[in-house]
Amino acid sequence: MYTDNRIVLTLDAGGTNFVFTAIRNCREIVTPITKQAVPTDLNQCLQSIVEGFEEVQSRLEEKPAAISFAFPGPADYENGIIGDLPNFPSFRGGVALGPYLQEKFRMPVFINNDGNLFAYGEATAGILPEINQALLANGNTKQYKNLIGITLGTGFGAGVVINSTLLTGDNGCGGDTWCFRNKFYPHLIAEESVSIRAVKRIYNELSGENNIYLTPKDIFDIAEGKKDGNLPAAVESFSKLGEAAGDAISHAVTLIDGIVVIGGGLTGATKYIFPALINEMKNNLATFSGLSFPRLQMQIFDLTNKDDYSAFLTGETRSVPVPETSLTVPYNCRKSTGIALSRLGTSKAIAIGAYTYALNRLDRK
């Protein structure tokens, strides 16, 4: 676990409510405070943000080191400017939210998107250190430094950490997967098949219904036989999401080559999503000459499966002799990666990501 005695103020920014807290040593140290978001009125929205941070700060015995939080994009996160948000109409034209808060509180302010901070939290204090510790405990010297964080919910979020550094990109677009090409509809973005709206759409298409009030939880309950409805359609709606996500994640893993961790509200349906997702990633691609290759160079392990996780930790290492000497060196002869579920939980991972990102930026100055 990442440890540091500095305090960072954080915010979970939703379209309805803002939830404020303070973190030290990757742990919440105050009871969260909730304020109304007021996305249609800029002055009231900014007032809610300021009041929330002021109330949290008033409960602390020492001055925080920074403010750091996730806020929806499009945005120029490096300069703290929030752009034209669909669900925050009062921000149209761009709002310099970071500089505004920096002037108000006289401390550094860092803003990023939730996908990035989810990935950073999992890389610094979540699944990545957990996996690396488990590998060493099993006598496996293999260590992972790269991570792709995926959130399945309202949208198809993602973030990438490479060698312990968050990939933001030259334009703040690093790690975006939502706009990958859709496997089922090549003229559409991947998010149209990897999102809450996709689950609802597919269920209605397959069942022949047109129930706009069904939630993913309702569809999950139908799949579980706990609610009346079309059970096969419910199962398939999550399976299709898994297949589309697996296709997009495969492209990302080809470039990034690291552990994949998945979070978000739809992970409650993991039992229906993961089999299709893993199967897609294990699929083959061919050449014109008829040769067939696994679409990924590394072997894929489902780390939610006990047997797969055990095999992943064991690895395949053997000793190879050094020519013309009596020496041998270890040879890790299996390329492998794992697909895991968030251990921290999405909200906590984002908060810890915001915390560690702020401290990292402060230390680089």
Side-chain angles (χ1 to χ4, degrees), residues 15-311:
T16 304
N17 292 314
F18 292 147
V19 182
F20 304 83
T21 191
I23 297 178
R24 166 188 269 161
N25 288 327
C26 289
R27 292 182 175 84
E28 216 169 55
I29 59 172
V30 299
T31 302
I33 293 168
T34 301
K35 295 285 183 181
Q36 188 177 357
V38 201
T40 57
D41 187 304
L42 181 60
N43 289 332
Q44 289 187 40
C45 188
L46 294 177
Q47 183 179 348
S48 286
I49 294 174
V50 170
E51 289 178 354
F53 282 129
E54 284 178 342
E55 286 189 34
V56 172
Q57 192 169 3
S58 71
R59 299 181 183 183
L60 303 174
E61 295 181 357
E62 56 188 272
K63 182 177 173 62
I67 291 172
S68 182
F69 59 96
F71 209 87
D76 175 0
Y77 291 115
E78 184 65 26
N79 292 307
I81 299 171
I82 307 302
D84 294 345
L85 302 184
N87 57 342
F88 277 79
S90 65
F91 279 64
R92 298 286 163 81
V95 174
L97 182 59
Y100 168 76
L101 293 174
Q102 195 158 308
E103 287 296 312
K104 283 284 186 181
F105 290 92
R106 297 296 175 181
M107 70 178 74
V109 176
F110 304 101
I111 308 175
N112 219 308
N113 67 58
D114 55 358
N116 281 347
L117 296 181
F118 170 74
Y120 202 62
E122 291 288 351
T124 55
I127 197 68
L128 198 61
E130 177 184 314
I131 285 173
N132 284 332
Q133 289 166 15
L135 285 165
L136 291 175
N138 277 267
N140 190 337
T141 58
K142 174 75 172 177
Q143 294 285 278
Y144 288 84
K145 300 176 182 177
N146 302 333
L147 177 138
I148 302 169
I150 300 291
T151 54
L152 305 177
T154 303
F156 184 20
V160 172
V161 176
I162 299 176
N163 199 19
S164 303
T165 300
L166 181 65
L167 173 67
T168 53
D170 292 332
N171 296 289
C173 301
D176 284 358
T177 57
W178 62 272
C179 53
F180 277 15
R181 188 183 296 275
N182 189 310
K183 177 185 177 179
F184 302 121
Y185 308 96
H187 62 294
L188 299 179
I189 60 173
E191 189 173 272
E192 287 302 307
S193 290
V194 189
S195 55
I196 286 173
R197 64 183 180 274
V199 173
K200 296 163 69 173
R201 173 182 57 78
I202 294 170
Y203 175 79
N204 281 321
E205 287 176 357
L206 294 177
S207 66
E209 300 177 20
N210 188 26
N211 189 340
I212 62 173
Y213 300 106
L214 278 179
T215 67
K217 178 61 167 62
D218 293 329
I219 297 170
F220 177 77
D221 286 342
I222 293 170
E224 293 283 277
K226 297 178 180 179
K227 188 179 179 72
D228 290 339
N230 189 315
L231 189 150
V235 172
E236 187 67 4
S237 66
F238 290 112
S239 179
K240 285 295 185 185
L241 180 145
E243 186 177 344
D247 178 67
I249 293 169
S250 293
H251 290 298
V253 171
T254 299
L255 291 174
I256 306 304
D257 186 12
I259 296 294
V260 177
V261 60
I262 297 178
L266 288 174
T267 54
T270 293
K271 64 187 292 186
Y272 301 117
I273 293 172
F274 257 45
L277 187 153
I278 298 293
N279 186 61
E280 178 64 25
M281 296 186 73
K282 290 182 176 181
N283 220 333
N284 288 347
L285 296 175
T287 66
F288 279 116
S289 65
L291 293 176
S292 180
F293 299 91
R295 71 175 296 173
L296 293 172
Q297 292 187 58
M298 66 286 291
Q299 189 172 341
I300 304 298
F301 290 87
D302 177 358
L303 302 188
T304 67
N305 178 284
K306 184 178 179 181
D307 292 336
D308 252 22
Y309 191 35
S310 178

